[in-house]
PDB file of all heavy atoms in Angstrom:
ATOM      1  N   GLU Q1546       5.846   5.083   6.852  1.00 92.00           N
ATOM      2  CA  GLU Q1546       5.475   3.766   6.328  1.00 92.00           C
ATOM      3  C   GLU Q1546       6.073   3.533   4.941  1.00 92.00           C
ATOM      4  O   GLU Q1546       6.591   2.453   4.650  1.00 92.00           O
ATOM      5  CB  GLU Q1546       3.954   3.620   6.283  1.00 92.00           C
ATOM      6  CG  GLU Q1546       3.309   3.612   7.655  1.00 92.00           C
ATOM      7  CD  GLU Q1546       3.765   2.454   8.519  1.00 92.00           C
ATOM      8  OE1 GLU Q1546       3.852   1.316   8.008  1.00 92.00           O
ATOM      9  OE2 GLU Q1546       4.036   2.688   9.711  1.00 92.00           O
ATOM     10  N   SER Q1547       5.992   4.522   4.075  1.00 91.00           N
ATOM     11  CA  SER Q1547       6.537   4.362   2.724  1.00 91.00           C
ATOM     12  C   SER Q1547       8.057   4.307   2.748  1.00 91.00           C
ATOM     13  O   SER Q1547       8.671   3.647   1.905  1.00 91.00           O
ATOM     14  CB  SER Q1547       6.051   5.486   1.808  1.00 91.00           C
ATOM     15  OG  SER Q1547       6.499   6.748   2.266  1.00 91.00           O
ATOM     16  N   GLY Q1548       8.669   4.986   3.711  1.00 91.00           N
ATOM     17  CA  GLY Q1548      10.123   4.907   3.859  1.00 91.00           C
ATOM     18  C   GLY Q1548      10.571   3.506   4.237  1.00 91.00           C
ATOM     19  O   GLY Q1548      11.604   3.016   3.765  1.00 91.00           O
ATOM     20  N   GLU Q1549       9.796   2.852   5.093  1.00 90.00           N
ATOM     21  CA  GLU Q1549      10.125   1.476   5.453  1.00 90.00           C
ATOM     22  C   GLU Q1549       9.998   0.553   4.247  1.00 90.00           C
ATOM     23  O   GLU Q1549      10.817  -0.350   4.064  1.00 90.00           O
ATOM     24  CB  GLU Q1549       9.233   1.017   6.608  1.00 90.00           C
ATOM     25  CG  GLU Q1549       9.567   1.718   7.908  1.00 90.00           C
ATOM     26  CD  GLU Q1549       8.594   1.430   9.029  1.00 90.00           C
ATOM     27  OE1 GLU Q1549       7.618   0.674   8.820  1.00 90.00           O
ATOM     28  OE2 GLU Q1549       8.804   1.968  10.133  1.00 90.00           O
ATOM     29  N   ARG Q1550       8.986   0.789   3.424  1.00 90.00           N
ATOM     30  CA  ARG Q1550       8.837  -0.017   2.195  1.00 90.00           C
ATOM     31  C   ARG Q1550       9.992   0.253   1.232  1.00 90.00           C
ATOM     32  O   ARG Q1550      10.524  -0.669   0.614  1.00 90.00           O
ATOM     33  CB  ARG Q1550       7.506   0.292   1.507  1.00 90.00           C
ATOM     34  CG  ARG Q1550       6.279  -0.112   2.267  1.00 90.00           C
ATOM     35  CD  ARG Q1550       6.188  -1.623   2.419  1.00 90.00           C
ATOM     36  NE  ARG Q1550       6.150  -2.287   1.146  1.00 90.00           N
ATOM     37  CZ  ARG Q1550       5.117  -2.950   0.664  1.00 90.00           C
ATOM     38  NH1 ARG Q1550       4.028  -3.045   1.372  1.00 90.00           N
ATOM     39  NH2 ARG Q1550       5.185  -3.519  -0.514  1.00 90.00           N
ATOM     40  N   LEU Q1551      10.361   1.518   1.084  1.00 89.00           N
ATOM     41  CA  LEU Q1551      11.475   1.864   0.199  1.00 89.00           C
ATOM     42  C   LEU Q1551      12.777   1.253   0.715  1.00 89.00           C
ATOM     43  O   LEU Q1551      13.582   0.751  -0.069  1.00 89.00           O
ATOM     44  CB  LEU Q1551      11.605   3.386   0.082  1.00 89.00           C
ATOM     45  CG  LEU Q1551      12.710   3.903  -0.831  1.00 89.00           C
ATOM     46  CD1 LEU Q1551      12.506   3.411  -2.260  1.00 89.00           C
ATOM     47  CD2 LEU Q1551      12.751   5.426  -0.780  1.00 89.00           C
ATOM     48  N   ALA Q1552      12.970   1.259   2.022  1.00 87.00           N
ATOM     49  CA  ALA Q1552      14.189   0.680   2.601  1.00 87.00           C
ATOM     50  C   ALA Q1552      14.290  -0.810   2.304  1.00 87.00           C
ATOM     51  O   ALA Q1552      15.393  -1.333   2.120  1.00 87.00           O
ATOM     52  CB  ALA Q1552      14.222   0.926   4.100  1.00 87.00           C
ATOM     53  N   SER Q1553      13.155  -1.492   2.215  1.00 87.00           N
ATOM     54  CA  SER Q1553      13.193  -2.918   1.886  1.00 87.00           C
ATOM     55  C   SER Q1553      13.653  -3.142   0.445  1.00 87.00           C
ATOM     56  O   SER Q1553      14.109  -4.223   0.101  1.00 87.00           O
ATOM     57  CB  SER Q1553      11.818  -3.562   2.113  1.00 87.00           C
ATOM     58  OG  SER Q1553      10.885  -3.124   1.148  1.00 87.00           O
ATOM     59  N   ARG Q1554      13.573  -2.116  -0.386  1.00 84.00           N
ATOM     60  CA  ARG Q1554      14.021  -2.215  -1.786  1.00 84.00           C
ATOM     61  C   ARG Q1554      15.467  -1.769  -1.964  1.00 84.00           C
ATOM     62  O   ARG Q1554      16.214  -2.367  -2.726  1.00 84.00           O
ATOM     63  CB  ARG Q1554      13.155  -1.339  -2.693  1.00 84.00           C
ATOM     64  CG  ARG Q1554      11.770  -1.845  -2.934  1.00 84.00           C
ATOM     65  CD  ARG Q1554      11.030  -0.810  -3.802  1.00 84.00           C
ATOM     66  NE  ARG Q1554       9.715  -1.247  -4.150  1.00 84.00           N
ATOM     67  CZ  ARG Q1554       9.386  -1.763  -5.332  1.00 84.00           C
ATOM     68  NH1 ARG Q1554      10.287  -1.890  -6.271  1.00 84.00           N
ATOM     69  NH2 ARG Q1554       8.153  -2.144  -5.566  1.00 84.00           N
ATOM     70  N   VAL Q1555      15.860  -0.673  -1.292  1.00 85.00           N
ATOM     71  CA  VAL Q1555      17.155  -0.052  -1.594  1.00 85.00           C
ATOM     72  C   VAL Q1555      18.157  -0.107  -0.448  1.00 85.00           C
ATOM     73  O   VAL Q1555      19.300   0.308  -0.611  1.00 85.00           O
ATOM     74  CB  VAL Q1555      16.975   1.421  -2.035  1.00 85.00           C
ATOM     75  CG1 VAL Q1555      16.142   1.507  -3.299  1.00 85.00           C
ATOM     76  CG2 VAL Q1555      16.391   2.260  -0.920  1.00 85.00           C
ATOM     77  N   GLY Q1556      17.753  -0.563   0.704  1.00 82.00           N
ATOM     78  CA  GLY Q1556      18.656  -0.606   1.850  1.00 82.00           C
ATOM     79  C   GLY Q1556      18.148   0.284   2.969  1.00 82.00           C
ATOM     80  O   GLY Q1556      17.300   1.155   2.765  1.00 82.00           O
ATOM     81  N   TYR Q1557      18.685   0.035   4.137  1.00 82.00           N
ATOM     82  CA  TYR Q1557      18.190   0.682   5.352  1.00 82.00           C
ATOM     83  C   TYR Q1557      19.149   1.783   5.791  1.00 82.00           C
ATOM     84  O   TYR Q1557      20.248   1.504   6.271  1.00 82.00           O
ATOM     85  CB  TYR Q1557      18.066  -0.384   6.441  1.00 82.00           C
ATOM     86  CG  TYR Q1557      17.265   0.038   7.624  1.00 82.00           C
ATOM     87  CD1 TYR Q1557      15.881   0.082   7.574  1.00 82.00           C
ATOM     88  CD2 TYR Q1557      17.889   0.384   8.815  1.00 82.00           C
ATOM     89  CE1 TYR Q1557      15.135   0.452   8.672  1.00 82.00           C
ATOM     90  CE2 TYR Q1557      17.161   0.749   9.916  1.00 82.00           C
ATOM     91  CZ  TYR Q1557      15.782   0.772   9.849  1.00 82.00           C
ATOM     92  OH  TYR Q1557      15.050   1.148  10.938  1.00 82.00           O
ATOM     93  N   PRO Q1558      18.762   3.051   5.632  1.00 86.00           N
ATOM     94  CA  PRO Q1558      19.617   4.155   6.090  1.00 86.00           C
ATOM     95  C   PRO Q1558      19.486   4.328   7.608  1.00 86.00           C
ATOM     96  O   PRO Q1558      18.514   4.904   8.097  1.00 86.00           O
ATOM     97  CB  PRO Q1558      19.075   5.367   5.334  1.00 86.00           C
ATOM     98  CG  PRO Q1558      17.634   5.024   5.097  1.00 86.00           C
ATOM     99  CD  PRO Q1558      17.563   3.527   4.966  1.00 86.00           C
ATOM    100  N   GLN Q1559      20.435   3.803   8.353  1.00 90.00           N
ATOM    101  CA  GLN Q1559      20.349   3.712   9.818  1.00 90.00           C
ATOM    102  C   GLN Q1559      20.029   5.046  10.497  1.00 90.00           C
ATOM    103  O   GLN Q1559      19.056   5.158  11.234  1.00 90.00           O
ATOM    104  CB  GLN Q1559      21.664   3.162  10.388  1.00 90.00           C
ATOM    105  CG  GLN Q1559      21.968   1.753   9.973  1.00 90.00           C
ATOM    106  CD  GLN Q1559      21.102   0.744  10.706  1.00 90.00           C
ATOM    107  OE1 GLN Q1559      20.493   1.038  11.721  1.00 90.00           O
ATOM    108  NE2 GLN Q1559      21.050  -0.459  10.169  1.00 90.00           N
ATOM    109  N   THR Q1560      20.847   6.050  10.275  1.00 92.00           N
ATOM    110  CA  THR Q1560      20.676   7.326  10.978  1.00 92.00           C
ATOM    111  C   THR Q1560      19.345   7.971  10.626  1.00 92.00           C
ATOM    112  O   THR Q1560      18.615   8.424  11.507  1.00 92.00           O
ATOM    113  CB  THR Q1560      21.837   8.283  10.635  1.00 92.00           C
ATOM    114  OG1 THR Q1560      23.070   7.630  10.948  1.00 92.00           O
ATOM    115  CG2 THR Q1560      21.731   9.569  11.426  1.00 92.00           C
ATOM    116  N   HIS Q1561      19.029   8.013   9.353  1.00 92.00           N
ATOM    117  CA  HIS Q1561      17.773   8.619   8.919  1.00 92.00           C
ATOM    118  C   HIS Q1561      16.578   7.889   9.519  1.00 92.00           C
ATOM    119  O   HIS Q1561      15.640   8.516  10.018  1.00 92.00           O
ATOM    120  CB  HIS Q1561      17.685   8.611   7.391  1.00 92.00           C
ATOM    121  CG  HIS Q1561      16.374   9.081   6.864  1.00 92.00           C
ATOM    122  ND1 HIS Q1561      15.918  10.366   7.067  1.00 92.00           N
ATOM    123  CD2 HIS Q1561      15.412   8.436   6.152  1.00 92.00           C
ATOM    124  CE1 HIS Q1561      14.722  10.490   6.495  1.00 92.00           C
ATOM    125  NE2 HIS Q1561      14.393   9.330   5.944  1.00 92.00           N
ATOM    126  N   ALA Q1562      16.610   6.580   9.496  1.00 91.00           N
ATOM    127  CA  ALA Q1562      15.484   5.797  10.016  1.00 91.00           C
ATOM    128  C   ALA Q1562      15.301   6.019  11.514  1.00 91.00           C
ATOM    129  O   ALA Q1562      14.166   6.128  11.999  1.00 91.00           O
ATOM    130  CB  ALA Q1562      15.683   4.320   9.714  1.00 91.00           C
ATOM    131  N   MET Q1563      16.421   6.090  12.253  1.00 93.00           N
ATOM    132  CA  MET Q1563      16.323   6.304  13.704  1.00 93.00           C
ATOM    133  C   MET Q1563      15.691   7.658  14.026  1.00 93.00           C
ATOM    134  O   MET Q1563      14.913   7.773  14.969  1.00 93.00           O
ATOM    135  CB  MET Q1563      17.707   6.206  14.357  1.00 93.00           C
ATOM    136  CG  MET Q1563      18.236   4.798  14.407  1.00 93.00           C
ATOM    137  SD  MET Q1563      19.813   4.576  15.285  1.00 93.00           S
ATOM    138  CE  MET Q1563      20.631   6.125  15.170  1.00 93.00           C
ATOM    139  N   ILE Q1564      16.016   8.662  13.259  1.00 94.00           N
ATOM    140  CA  ILE Q1564      15.474  10.004  13.511  1.00 94.00           C
ATOM    141  C   ILE Q1564      14.056  10.124  12.964  1.00 94.00           C
ATOM    142  O   ILE Q1564      13.143  10.570  13.666  1.00 94.00           O
ATOM    143  CB  ILE Q1564      16.391  11.072  12.884  1.00 94.00           C
ATOM    144  CG1 ILE Q1564      17.732  11.100  13.623  1.00 94.00           C
ATOM    145  CG2 ILE Q1564      15.734  12.447  12.924  1.00 94.00           C
ATOM    146  CD1 ILE Q1564      18.777  11.953  12.976  1.00 94.00           C
ATOM    147  N   ALA Q1565      13.863   9.718  11.725  1.00 94.00           N
ATOM    148  CA  ALA Q1565      12.593   9.957  11.039  1.00 94.00           C
ATOM    149  C   ALA Q1565      11.426   9.188  11.648  1.00 94.00           C
ATOM    150  O   ALA Q1565      10.283   9.629  11.543  1.00 94.00           O
ATOM    151  CB  ALA Q1565      12.731   9.615   9.556  1.00 94.00           C
ATOM    152  N   ARG Q1566      11.683   8.074  12.310  1.00 94.00           N
ATOM    153  CA  ARG Q1566      10.574   7.302  12.885  1.00 94.00           C
ATOM    154  C   ARG Q1566       9.818   8.081  13.946  1.00 94.00           C
ATOM    155  O   ARG Q1566       8.678   7.780  14.248  1.00 94.00           O
ATOM    156  CB  ARG Q1566      11.078   5.968  13.427  1.00 94.00           C
ATOM    157  CG  ARG Q1566      11.725   6.046  14.779  1.00 94.00           C
ATOM    158  CD  ARG Q1566      11.953   4.684  15.442  1.00 94.00           C
ATOM    159  NE  ARG Q1566      12.297   3.657  14.506  1.00 94.00           N
ATOM    160  CZ  ARG Q1566      13.504   3.090  14.406  1.00 94.00           C
ATOM    161  NH1 ARG Q1566      14.466   3.456  15.210  1.00 94.00           N
ATOM    162  NH2 ARG Q1566      13.732   2.159  13.517  1.00 94.00           N
ATOM    163  N   TRP Q1567      10.441   9.113  14.516  1.00 96.00           N
ATOM    164  CA  TRP Q1567       9.790   9.918  15.563  1.00 96.00           C
ATOM    165  C   TRP Q1567       9.062  11.137  15.018  1.00 96.00           C
ATOM    166  O   TRP Q1567       8.313  11.792  15.744  1.00 96.00           O
ATOM    167  CB  TRP Q1567      10.823  10.346  16.606  1.00 96.00           C
ATOM    168  CG  TRP Q1567      11.288   9.183  17.402  1.00 96.00           C
ATOM    169  CD1 TRP Q1567      12.430   8.449  17.207  1.00 96.00           C
ATOM    170  CD2 TRP Q1567      10.610   8.584  18.496  1.00 96.00           C
ATOM    171  NE1 TRP Q1567      12.504   7.438  18.126  1.00 96.00           N
ATOM    172  CE2 TRP Q1567      11.391   7.499  18.934  1.00 96.00           C
ATOM    173  CE3 TRP Q1567       9.417   8.853  19.149  1.00 96.00           C
ATOM    174  CZ2 TRP Q1567      11.010   6.697  19.994  1.00 96.00           C
ATOM    175  CZ3 TRP Q1567       9.044   8.044  20.217  1.00 96.00           C
ATOM    176  CH2 TRP Q1567       9.836   6.984  20.623  1.00 96.00           C
ATOM    177  N   THR Q1568       9.246  11.457  13.758  1.00 97.00           N
ATOM    178  CA  THR Q1568       8.602  12.637  13.184  1.00 97.00           C
ATOM    179  C   THR Q1568       7.079  12.582  13.281  1.00 97.00           C
ATOM    180  O   THR Q1568       6.463  13.577  13.695  1.00 97.00           O
ATOM    181  CB  THR Q1568       9.065  12.856  11.728  1.00 97.00           C
ATOM    182  OG1 THR Q1568      10.492  12.939  11.708  1.00 97.00           O
ATOM    183  CG2 THR Q1568       8.482  14.128  11.156  1.00 97.00           C
ATOM    184  N   PRO Q1569       6.417  11.473  12.964  1.00 97.00           N
ATOM    185  CA  PRO Q1569       4.950  11.454  13.112  1.00 97.00           C
ATOM    186  C   PRO Q1569       4.494  11.650  14.562  1.00 97.00           C
ATOM    187  O   PRO Q1569       3.445  12.241  14.809  1.00 97.00           O
ATOM    188  CB  PRO Q1569       4.544  10.070  12.604  1.00 97.00           C
ATOM    189  CG  PRO Q1569       5.679   9.563  11.819  1.00 97.00           C
ATOM    190  CD  PRO Q1569       6.907  10.231  12.349  1.00 97.00           C
ATOM    191  N   VAL Q1570       5.298  11.179  15.497  1.00 97.00           N
ATOM    192  CA  VAL Q1570       4.941  11.331  16.916  1.00 97.00           C
ATOM    193  C   VAL Q1570       4.955  12.804  17.307  1.00 97.00           C
ATOM    194  O   VAL Q1570       3.991  13.319  17.892  1.00 97.00           O
ATOM    195  CB  VAL Q1570       5.902  10.520  17.815  1.00 97.00           C
ATOM    196  CG1 VAL Q1570       5.641  10.798  19.287  1.00 97.00           C
ATOM    197  CG2 VAL Q1570       5.794   9.036  17.508  1.00 97.00           C
TER     198      VAL Q1570
END
Side-chain angles (χ1 to χ4, degrees):
E1546 294 298 317
S1547 62
E1549 290 172 0
R1550 294 295 301 247
L1551 181 60
S1553 70
R1554 288 177 177 259
V1555 299
Y1557 194 77
Q1559 295 285 343
T1560 304
H1561 174 63
M1563 288 185 334
I1564 293 171
R1566 80 168 36 110
W1567 290 98
T1568 304
V1570 173

